[in-house]
Amino acid sequence: DVKVTQSSRYLVKRTGEKVFLECVQDMDHENMFWYRQDPGLGLRLIYFSYDVKMKEKGDIPEGYSVSREKKERFSLILESASTNQTSMYLCASSLDGQPSYNEQFFGPGTRLTVL
Amino acid sequence: AQKITQTQPGMFVQEKEAVTLDCTYDTSDPSYGLFWYKQPSSGEMIFLIYQGSYDQQNATEGRYSLNFQKARKSANLVISASQLGDSAMYFCASLLSGGYNKLIFGAGTRLAVHP
């Protein structure tokens, strides 16, 4: 079974703190993704990575950065947390290449509250 | 820009009946793919079904089927014989152009199955 794990299910941080959200997958997937989920907006892509040390911005990268030093691990960093970053954060991974599509496998999510 | 629209914020259905969740997409790509994911209250995203734009037949997976109407750009999810465990958020998503299996999601539909 593909497994994607996230370091915390719930996290409470203060405004201005640096926050690290960790994601690990155990299926040797090339692609990894970070989304945030807000009511009425669905999931929005923050960043994704298609290889170690390779990353690209998604739709809403402002206020976030990422790190992928090892293939199985993809970290999301909030350099200075703000209240508008209170959200559910979901990590996902997928194979690349053939067949023409590969489903994304998701972690359980981290509900982050910034006070 | 690609867009996914789910017009039903909430739906309810009686147990054992069928329900259709709407999804329309907007893409100019000649080749594309559409996914449906289920998100129970526990938070994890569960892949349900996939439809490729060149697939000749509508996709089916157990009690899930896709009513794919290319001319209308719709990919509605049909759940037959609803069960109480089907109560969840349902998201429609489309593959984004540019590779790497990136997805764009709709806002979601919350389905409640009543006994």
Side-chain angles (χ1 to χ4, degrees):
Chain A
D1 266 1
V2 176
K3 197 163 183 186
V4 181
T5 56
Q6 295 183 228
S7 49
S8 307
R9 290 301 303 269
Y10 300 93
L11 209 52
V12 180
K13 295 291 181 180
R14 298 218 172 265
T15 301
E17 278 192 77
K18 191 168 185 175
V19 182
F20 292 86
L21 302 182
E22 304 285 339
C23 175
V24 178
Q25 51 93 3
D26 65 359
M27 284 302 292
D28 205 33
H29 285 172
E30 292 87 1
N31 301 330
M32 296 188 75
F33 310 84
W34 274 107
Y35 297 91
R36 67 175 280 175
Q37 181 182 0
D38 300 290
L41 297 177
L43 280 71
R44 292 178 292 166
L45 183 64
I46 304 171
Y47 267 97
F48 73 98
S49 168
Y50 52 90
D51 202 349
V52 174
K53 296 191 187 295
M54 306 304 288
K55 60 189 179 186
E56 285 197 18
K57 294 178 181 178
D59 297 321
I60 50 164
E62 296 79 19
Y64 304 95
S65 62
V66 290
S67 171
R68 193 164 180 203
E69 297 296 319
K70 293 185 177 181
K71 191 174 185 180
E72 67 270 19
R73 188 179 297 268
F74 191 35
S75 303
L76 179 70
I77 304 151
L78 287 66
E79 295 289 343
S80 177
S82 63
T83 54
N84 63 13
Q85 292 178 309
T86 291
S87 188
M88 169 75 102
Y89 290 87
L90 290 160
C91 175
S93 71
S94 78
L95 285 168
D96 201 10
Q98 295 302 318
S100 58
Y101 83 92
N102 284 290
E103 68 186 87
Q104 291 187 14
F105 294 87
F106 283 81
T110 295
R111 189 167 293 282
L112 173 68
T113 302
V114 182
L115 301 174
Chain B
Q2 288 173 272
K3 189 177 177 183
I4 295 287
T5 303
Q6 294 180 256
T7 56
Q8 306 152 315
M11 290 277 288
F12 69 89
V13 65
Q14 291 295 128
E15 197 177 5
K16 298 179 187 173
E17 292 185 353
V19 64
T20 298
L21 306 184
D22 294 342
C23 172
T24 57
Y25 57 92
D26 185 7
T27 178
S28 55
D29 290 343
S31 175
Y32 51 89
L34 297 152
F35 294 79
W36 277 91
Y37 280 83
K38 172 185 178 181
Q39 187 182 43
S41 56
S42 51
E44 78 276 19
M45 297 280 283
I46 302 166
F47 165 71
L48 294 179
I49 196 166
Y50 169 81
Q51 179 83 47
S53 57
Y54 289 120
D55 293 342
Q56 294 297 316
Q57 293 189 323
N58 286 348
T60 60
E61 287 286 347
R63 294 186 298 111
Y64 305 108
S65 61
L66 247 164
N67 183 1
F68 183 49
Q69 298 187 43
K70 219 168 167 176
R72 301 176 84 172
K73 292 196 172 181
S74 74
N76 299 337
L77 177 71
V78 180
I79 305 174
S80 62
S82 297
Q83 301 172 356
L84 296 178
D86 293 334
S87 294
M89 282 289 288
Y90 288 83
F91 291 96
C92 180
S94 172
L95 278 170
L96 282 166
S97 54
Y100 306 120
N101 288 296
K102 291 180 294 179
L103 295 175
I104 181 169
F105 285 83
T109 296
R110 183 171 296 283
L111 176 67
V113 180
H114 295 172

